[in-house]
Amino acid sequence: MATDPDSLTNCRFYEEKYPEIESFVMVNVKQIAEMGAYVKLLEYDNIDGMILLSELSRRRIRSIQKLIRIGRNEVVVVLRVDKEKGYIDLSKRRVSAEDIVRCEERYNKSKSVHSIMRHVAEKTKTPILQLYEKIGWPLNKKYGHANDAFKLSITNTEVWNDVEFPNDVVKDEFVNYISKKLTPHPTKVRADVEVTCFRYDGIDAVKDALRKAEANNTQDTQVKVKLVSPPHYVLTSQCLDKGLGIQLLEQAIKDIDASIKGAGGGCVVKMAPKAVTGEHFGDLMLCVILTSLQNTTMRSYKHLWTRGRKKTRKSLVTRICQSRMTLLKSLRQCSQWAMLSRESSPQ
């Protein structure tokens, strides 16, 4: 299928019209037949390709539906290319796990670039093929990938010096949309520690040690300490540079350790500082809420049990059972909410 030169939405991702032999490409399965599977090459403007039945798996094929499904994206390797007839033979069984990771990473970058190109083409009514020829493919040659050049242009405008834009309207739309779409977001970093001190003034010593973690906070770099359940505490930080966030938490842990050991206590790192996603923070807050509810409920029941009579204690057993059921019901509801929020959150 030839690319329409005046199209605003459809174009191949790369300068070459056909993939090279032994290169890895992303395809979408369209039809499964007796001879194999018919696919579309997503990075080459949906040109047709075929995965022969013998190239689907190294093992004996008992059910082709378990190996490949219609509508699913697959990473395959190019075996043969007939440019005159337009035949492209592909293989799935010759692809390793490392090849899949590299191909998916390149495809995601190219898809991000294509979404930017398509947006600018539709806004400025400029053919998308022209944008690729003047902007996308030259940046691929110079920077390895246009996506890397786009990210670099946010902090270094010299990227655009050698680019020939069709007009100023296209340039302004490119710069504005890239700064809006590719501006880096803060990375969340988390660490788990257990801080204990069994001396007479142990509680104050733990509080002072945890305050040390927040002592060096600035407007741009902040460390926050959350209580899960004694002696379990969570240290969190958000910053644009993941490495900087990890260094902040490592230094905070050192400050806590030095302070609590000086008071005769101890600090144990349960989870070293690492970058986490939003769902980890949702799980953390869920754990904090449920632990707080359970601790508060059991303290009140213990007070009634020690001071109550026989009748009071019998009714108390019933209330404890009901409370446990309520907690379990709340846990199930919170878990369902967490799953829904993860599914609805952007990938």
Side-chain angles (χ1 to χ4, degrees), residues 48-159:
D48 296 322
M50 184 176 185
I51 308 174
L52 296 174
L53 191 65
S54 59
E55 295 294 335
L56 282 175
S57 176
R58 295 180 182 273
R59 301 178 181 179
R60 181 181 176 184
I61 300 175
R62 295 185 178 180
S63 173
I64 193 172
Q65 298 293 338
K66 292 183 179 180
L67 292 174
I68 196 165
R69 292 184 181 178
I70 295 175
R72 180 183 292 178
N73 290 352
E74 300 282 353
V75 176
V76 295
V77 62
V78 180
L79 298 181
R80 288 172 292 274
V81 178
D82 189 337
K83 296 181 180 179
E84 295 180 358
K85 297 182 180 180
Y87 294 156
I88 302 176
D89 292 336
L90 308 164
S91 172
K92 184 176 182 290
R93 72 183 182 94
R94 307 188 191 193
V95 180
S96 65
E98 293 80 7
D99 298 329
I100 292 175
V101 172
R102 284 196 296 269
C103 183
E104 287 179 344
E105 183 180 355
R106 188 198 67 223
Y107 174 69
N108 289 332
K109 283 185 176 182
S110 301
K111 191 167 64 172
S112 175
V113 170
H114 188 73
S115 69
I116 295 172
M117 292 289 188
R118 187 173 56 191
H119 170 84
V120 175
E122 291 176 342
K123 282 285 186 179
T124 62
K125 304 302 179 184
T126 306
I128 192 170
L129 179 59
Q130 183 181 353
L131 295 180
Y132 268 107
E133 290 174 343
K134 290 186 174 294
I135 303 168
W137 296 335
L139 290 176
N140 278 345
K141 291 180 179 178
K142 187 174 181 179
Y143 293 93
H145 203 289
N147 189 67
D148 298 332
F150 288 169
K151 289 183 177 180
L152 181 61
S153 69
I154 297 174
T155 55
N156 185 7
T157 56
E158 293 181 359
V159 171

